[in-house]
Amino acid sequence: SSELTQDPAVSVALGQTVRITCQGDSLRSSYASWYQQKPGQAPLLVIYGENNRPSGIPDRFSGSNSGNTASLTITGAQAEDEADYYCNSRDSSGNPLYVFGCGTKVTVL
Amino acid sequence: EVQLLESGGGLVQPGGSLRLSCAASGFTFSSYGMSWVRQAPGKGLEWVSAISSSGATTYYADSVKGRFTISRDNSKNTLYLQMNSLRAEDTAVYFCAKRENCGANCYPFDFWGQGTLVTVSS
């Protein structure tokens, strides 16, 4: 079955830039979507498609896709950006239909 | 304002059944595919099941295939997940999620409910 691989954890100094990556074969045929999840809350979509932000998501969040790798970049990280971040895509095999990465814990120092 | 409100979670014994519901509002429910996604305690997100906008096509993760059934009632703007033969490993918060239509190769879940906790234990 298809998998999406993410680093378990990264840290970033306040105001600095952090990039989170997601790798998997499904990304060759489907854009990654990125979700932010804070403790006790539902996931929140932050980036989707080529590099699109839903309404209300700050422009310090951006995304990119190349081959089997997708990236989420936070430029000028804020304290409120500390959260778990998950990538997800649709699997071309259809089994499973959708896959999620294991998540990256972002700590803002 | 889009809202998704899950209900139906609770404590159930192994082998038991539960039916989850997700009441949708704030968008044209019948125009969007929907999914259930779960999160075991302290773990990551796992896609469980999806259904097309009309309800004609359904999909399941191998871990629940043959035990769970997804359905929807577009007249009631409600998504369902019938869970049978529950196991301890099904213990999780279950989220319903709306799938946005954003073109080719683009499949984000743009809105999520707050989740409902299912605990399978004797």
Side-chain angles (χ1 to χ4, degrees), chain A residues 29-31 33 35 37 41-45 48-49 52 86 88 90 94-102, chain B residues 35 37 39 43-47 50 59-60 62 65 95 99 102 104-110 112-114:
Chain A
S29 58
S30 169
Y31 289 115
S33 301
Y35 307 87
Q37 189 181 33
Q41 297 185 14
L44 174 70
L45 179 67
Y48 67 96
N52 301 301
Y86 295 90
N88 129 268
R90 178 165 171 150
N95 184 26
L97 187 63
Y98 298 105
V99 289
F100 284 90
C102 54
Chain B
S35 274
V37 178
Q39 187 170 36
K43 302 297 185 182
L45 300 171
E46 179 190 15
W47 172 78
Y59 308 86
Y60 299 93
D62 284 346
K65 202 170 292 183
F95 298 99
R99 208 213 83 185
C102 57
N105 305 322
C106 182
Y107 309 96
F109 297 116
D110 61 340
W112 299 62
Q114 86 291 345

Side-chain angles (χ1 to χ4, degrees), chain A residues 25-109:
Chain A
D25 287 342
S26 63
L27 299 178
R28 297 186 184 280
S29 58
S30 169
Y31 289 115
S33 301
W34 290 93
Y35 307 87
Q36 176 193 72
Q37 189 181 33
K38 297 180 180 179
Q41 297 185 14
L44 174 70
L45 179 67
V46 294
I47 290 289
Y48 67 96
E50 193 167 347
N51 180 19
N52 301 301
R53 284 177 289 107
S55 174
I57 301 301
D59 61 6
R60 62 179 179 270
F61 290 91
S62 63
S64 64
N65 300 267
S66 179
N68 73 334
T69 301
S71 300
L72 173 70
T73 300
I74 309 174
T75 304
Q78 302 300 302
E80 60 264 32
D81 300 333
E82 185 163 295
D84 293 325
Y85 290 84
Y86 295 90
C87 61
N88 129 268
S89 71
R90 178 165 171 150
D91 189 78
S92 59
S93 74
N95 184 26
L97 187 63
Y98 298 105
V99 289
F100 284 90
C102 54
T104 298
K105 169 66 177 179
V106 173
T107 301
V108 180
L109 303 173

Side-chain angles (χ1 to χ4, degrees), chain B residues 2-122:
Chain B
V2 172
Q3 289 194 334
L4 298 170
L5 185 61
E6 302 96 336
S7 60
L11 175 63
V12 61
Q13 293 187 340
S17 298
L18 275 180
R19 187 174 86 153
L20 307 183
S21 299
C22 171
S25 61
F27 65 103
T28 305
F29 181 69
S30 59
S31 295
Y32 293 91
M34 299 290 294
S35 274
W36 288 97
V37 178
R38 69 184 180 184
Q39 187 170 36
K43 302 297 185 182
L45 300 171
E46 179 190 15
W47 172 78
V48 172
S49 182
I51 189 167
S52 62
S53 56
S54 67
T57 308
T58 58
Y59 308 86
Y60 299 93
D62 284 346
S63 57
V64 306
K65 202 170 292 183
R67 300 187 299 122
F68 290 11
T69 302
I70 190 172
S71 62
R72 64 192 296 161
D73 186 337
N74 286 344
S75 69
K76 295 182 178 179
N77 291 344
T78 303
L79 175 72
Y80 303 100
L81 185 67
Q82 177 67 44
M83 305 186 295
N84 298 332
S85 303
L86 283 161
R87 307 166 180 167
E89 54 264 37
D90 295 318
T91 294
V93 174
Y94 285 73
F95 298 99
C96 64
K98 167 185 171 288
R99 208 213 83 185
E100 176 60 282
N101 303 320
C102 57
N105 305 322
C106 182
Y107 309 96
F109 297 116
D110 61 340
F111 287 97
W112 299 62
Q114 86 291 345
T116 187
L117 177 62
V118 172
T119 303
V120 184
S121 175
S122 55

